[in-house]
Amino acid sequence: MAAKEELYAKVTPRRQRQNRPNTIKHGSTLDVLLSMGFPKTRALKALVSTGGKNVQAACDWLFSHVDDPFLDDPLPREYVLYLRPSGPLLQQLTHFWKQSRLSCGKNKAHNIFPHITLCQFFMCTDAKVEALSDALQTTMAKWKGRIPMPLPLELYVSSTFIGLFVEEQMAEVLKSFAADFATEAASKAGSSPLFPFVLLLLWITGVYMLFFFILNPDVHVEPHKKQLHVTLAYHFQASSLPALEKLAKNVDVSAGCDWLAVLFSRDIRFANHETLQVMYPYMPQNDDELELLQGDFIFMSPMEQSTASEGWVFGSSLSTGLSGLLPENYVNRADESDTWVVHGSFSFLNCASPSNSSSTVGGLFFDGQQNDSLLDSLPSLSKMRLFVCRHGERMDVVFGKHWVTQCFDSKGKGRYIRSNLNMPTSLPARSGGHRDFDKDCPITVFGATQARLVGEALLESHTTIDFVYCSPSLRCIQTTQHILQGLQQDGKTKIRVEPGLFEWTKWVSGTCLPSWIPPAELAAANLSVDTTYRPHIPISKLTVSESYDTYISRSFQVTREILTECKNLGNTVLFVAHASSLEACTRQIQGLNPQNSKDFVQVVRKIPYLGFCSCEEMGETGVWQLVDPPILPLTHGPNHSFNWREMLMQD
């Protein structure tokens, strides 16, 4: 144990980044990080800790962990292979999770999402994760079409456990798949037949963590040998059994589903810690306290709480790796799996990754140039995807509803003059006059910047947009234009203006709809609009103050018709519309019933500018599911107007 403490107390001096040219050569994500001057061990750790998303995510991780005392320690991560449901079955299980938690409180099953365990937790060095991902991809290709869907599941209820068990014959098939993955992982990452005995010896002697990879750095995967099942509830109070059983019986196990084989990892240091999430930011008042960032996760071990006084806990931050004391009322309990990282996710319907992001296609370190042929051959890319994005920051929200009066010369010819750097330098001409901007405002300069950032992120993720549909609102059309510019598809992909994508008309003030700029005038203003497009729902079909049911039906109708129109002509469709569109255009195509209007409004209020979601068709089932977007989220904050004369000049 003394040797273990000595290793953990050691902090290797951090190397300084070297000055490099401002150009990035083609190559793997790892090569890019190395060219930036990061040591290989740190670069690998950053990539593995972020799921190999992209260079930016790895850099952000490295900079936030610059003072992490474990940054240079050769600690492995723990990995596990799960089957995860998707589609209607996942929606039902998610509903069960929510209702059981509300009616009976949290039980042990809530710590991890619904899943079937295929392989037990095992360890792998950062340098071998790419081989591990390759092993899963190779195994999936080998098993293509050999596992029928949906899996036969049977409900089992006891006094302490409720679950869905896989029918025995099919369970044996899945175990064979897991065994093949274990063999493939051993072949690609290396494994010794004595490895399990070495692990047992090290665990008994108490130096398991320290010498694990010094004595044997190979990967040993142990397939799950017990009955395969989805756990619904366990470790619950006896009084909760009737309510839980009733909810479990409402789960339709025959519902459409695609099962995904997903490789997860977690930080080995915190495997047995309780997971907390930061609700409020906190700045340390003393040297032994931990700075808290809202949304961060904290790992807390009961063994470490002896140094904490009442109302305080001792924990370690996921985002920085630092440890310290923190106020207990600033955090809430979270689920263990909230901090896990995905390293590969493959569909059993077509045995391909459901995403073409760098973390799941072609292994962890995806090289777009070297894997073009692989991308072309992957059947996952034939699946249709729908992106729905909210417009950028709007002028009337930032500068108030009277901005038109302040910026246009009413005495002259309505000449536009901006009064703030965040106002665009020019605006498109309107045949109805500048007062039409009152109900149909443009985006700000920052709104345009937000949109280009999203486009650039899509470009970096190797995403190509085949069709673009847009609300007739000027703010949406301008946002779309800047997204296409960031994607380098400006002029190549025409914007189809679709009135059916306009927001709930109940939110429009006054007795009439906005006077939108016609497509021909938009094209004359150098906006890449398709003037030949005939809308599915023309403006004449929109009514003022429509009911909630009418809006939801309209959104579902136009979404369904557009997806049908684009099928077999392109893979990826982008909607740029309103905050409400992210919910209204995706919910019913997943086979879900609409929310009530009150819950709908609560969801919409939380969607920021350039809020972005991704929905994907499950093979040829006609059912869609929400999936992780190929880009990172965009977070921004307010910047209040600054008047130097008022603030700095003293009387």
Side-chain angles (χ1 to χ4, degrees), residues 12 40 64 100 151 154 160 165 168 224 227 253 278 280 301 309 329 343 406 434 485 510 520 595:
T12 304
K40 185 175 182 178
S64 65
S100 63
L151 294 179
E154 183 177 352
T160 58
F165 279 78
E168 185 175 353
H224 194 66
Q227 289 180 291
V253 296
V278 177
Y280 312 102
S301 169
S309 56
N329 59 345
H343 298 276
Q406 297 166 359
H434 66 268
Q485 288 175 357
Q595 300 192 74

Side-chain angles (χ1 to χ4, degrees), residues 390 579-580 582 598-612 634:
R390 188 190 178 191
S580 56
L582 276 74
K598 183 178 180 181
D599 291 340
F600 172 79
V601 171
Q602 291 303 313
V603 170
V604 172
R605 289 176 59 187
K606 299 175 183 177
I607 297 175
Y609 294 127
L610 270 300
F612 192 101
L634 174 63

Side-chain angles (χ1 to χ4, degrees), residues 373-525:
S373 59
L374 173 63
L375 285 174
D376 292 338
S377 65
L378 280 178
S380 67
L381 297 183
S382 64
K383 298 168 72 174
M384 287 195 70
R385 291 186 301 173
L386 171 64
F387 297 148
V388 187
C389 183
R390 188 190 178 191
H391 58 76
E393 182 182 78
R394 48 191 289 177
M395 284 276 283
D396 55 355
V397 171
V398 177
F399 298 106
K401 62 181 180 180
H402 299 298
W403 74 271
V404 176
T405 303
Q406 297 166 359
C407 292
F408 283 88
D409 180 10
S410 59
K411 295 180 181 179
K413 297 182 179 180
R415 186 167 59 96
Y416 167 72
I417 302 175
R418 69 171 180 169
S419 59
N420 189 283
L421 289 176
N422 198 25
M423 292 180 173
T425 56
S426 62
L427 294 177
R430 308 191 76 129
S431 56
H434 66 268
R435 297 303 311 188
D436 284 348
F437 284 117
D438 281 329
K439 284 190 174 182
D440 187 29
C441 70
I443 58 175
T444 62
V445 172
F446 185 60
T449 302
Q450 292 170 317
R452 281 195 298 274
L453 285 173
V454 167
E456 290 167 0
L458 289 169
L459 179 65
E460 183 181 347
S461 68
H462 306 281
T463 299
T464 300
I465 303 297
D466 297 306
F467 297 101
V468 179
Y469 293 80
C470 182
S471 162
S473 295
L474 178 59
R475 57 188 180 273
C476 298
I477 295 167
Q478 290 179 320
T479 299
T480 309
Q481 181 86 359
H482 288 288
I483 290 176
L484 291 175
Q485 288 175 357
L487 256 171
Q488 298 181 12
Q489 289 184 225
D490 184 25
K492 302 176 184 177
T493 305
K494 294 290 186 179
I495 302 169
R496 296 178 172 180
V497 180
E498 175 54 64
L501 291 175
F502 184 60
E503 65 186 344
W504 188 6
T505 61
K506 179 183 176 181
W507 291 333
V508 177
S509 61
T511 58
C512 61
L513 295 173
S515 296
W516 293 301
I517 303 176
E521 293 183 20
L522 291 169

Side-chain angles (χ1 to χ4, degrees), residues 108-144:
K108 285 288 187 180
H110 289 126
N111 278 329
I112 304 176
F113 40 76
H115 68 278
I116 296 173
T117 303
L118 290 182
C119 296
Q120 302 290 355
F121 275 99
F122 60 94
M123 301 187 195
C124 178
T125 59
D126 295 342
K128 293 188 176 183
V129 175
E130 182 179 12
L132 201 60
S133 295
D134 287 343
L136 179 57
Q137 185 174 1
T138 301
T139 308
M140 291 299 299
K142 177 181 176 182
W143 279 79
K144 181 177 181 179

Side-chain angles (χ1 to χ4, degrees), residues 282-291 312 323-327:
Y282 176 76
M283 290 301 297
Q285 307 298 313
N286 298 290
D287 292 340
D288 59 351
E289 295 174 6
L290 182 66
E291 180 180 358
W312 292 75
S323 302
L325 295 168
L326 56 130

